[in-house]
Amino acid sequence: MIAIGWLILMAVLLVIEIATLGLTTIWFAAGALVACIAAVVDAPIWLQAALFVVVSVLLLIFTRPLATKYLNSRTSKTNAESLVGRTAKVTKTINNIQAEGQVVVGGMEWTARSTDENVVIPEGAVVMIHGISGVKLIVSEKKEGMKNE
């Protein structure tokens, strides 16, 4: 009878996983399956519960990062994320100390700051976008031979 309880828990967890696609409850469903198998072979309830917890947590810790990496590898960057790695043209000298600087990328103007606090990037220079901090692009001057994206 306990084995049926584990199967019901597994089914509920699978339904939740299908509904959310969060790659979280799937590991607990696997833990419930192991506990169900333990119940079928008449293992004590404490062992079933321990197996459920241990298997679920181990799968969550060790396999979720791998599954997330490979299953989410085909997602494409959108909006601002897609700017990282691209080049931009400086339209107003970038000077972090004076808190000024502006670039144009993809036809849009962005406030920009240098990756190096002590470097001033002149107007007209081509820069590489390394990241985004709030609404500012973090850039460095593009070196000769760098790939244009």
Side-chain angles (χ1 to χ4, degrees):
M1 192 61 159
I2 294 175
I4 294 172
W6 287 114
L7 284 176
I8 291 170
L9 177 62
M10 183 180 77
V12 168
L13 291 168
L14 287 174
V15 167
I16 292 170
E17 181 64 37
I18 291 167
T20 63
L21 297 175
L23 282 179
T24 302
T25 58
I26 189 78
W27 313 121
F28 290 93
L33 177 63
V34 170
C36 177
I37 293 169
V40 168
V41 296
D42 290 327
I45 189 73
W46 66 266
L47 181 59
Q48 296 170 36
L51 285 170
F52 170 73
V53 171
V54 169
V55 170
S56 298
V57 170
L58 287 176
L59 286 174
L60 183 66
I61 291 172
F62 292 111
T63 59
R64 186 175 191 269
L66 292 172
T68 303
K69 177 181 175 183
Y70 290 111
L71 293 176
N72 291 337
S73 64
R74 296 175 193 200
T75 59
S76 60
K77 294 180 180 178
T78 59
N79 300 329
E81 290 177 339
S82 66
L83 297 176
V84 176
R86 292 182 59 189
T87 58
K89 185 171 182 176
V90 178
T91 56
K92 182 178 179 185
T93 300
I94 299 171
N95 185 331
N96 289 8
I97 295 171
Q98 295 181 1
E100 62 184 23
Q102 195 168 36
V103 298
V104 171
V105 60
M108 294 186 64
E109 290 185 348
W110 286 78
T111 303
R113 296 294 179 262
S114 174
T115 55
D116 186 343
E117 293 291 321
N118 300 316
V119 173
V120 175
I121 304 173
E123 184 175 331
V126 176
V127 293
M128 178 68 65
I129 302 167
H130 294 279
I132 301 170
S133 178
V135 294
K136 295 176 186 74
L137 297 181
I138 308 302
V139 301
S140 67
E141 195 161 8
K142 185 175 176 193
K143 306 289 187 252
E144 291 298 318
M146 284 180 79
K147 184 180 172 187
N148 187 8
E149 299 202 23

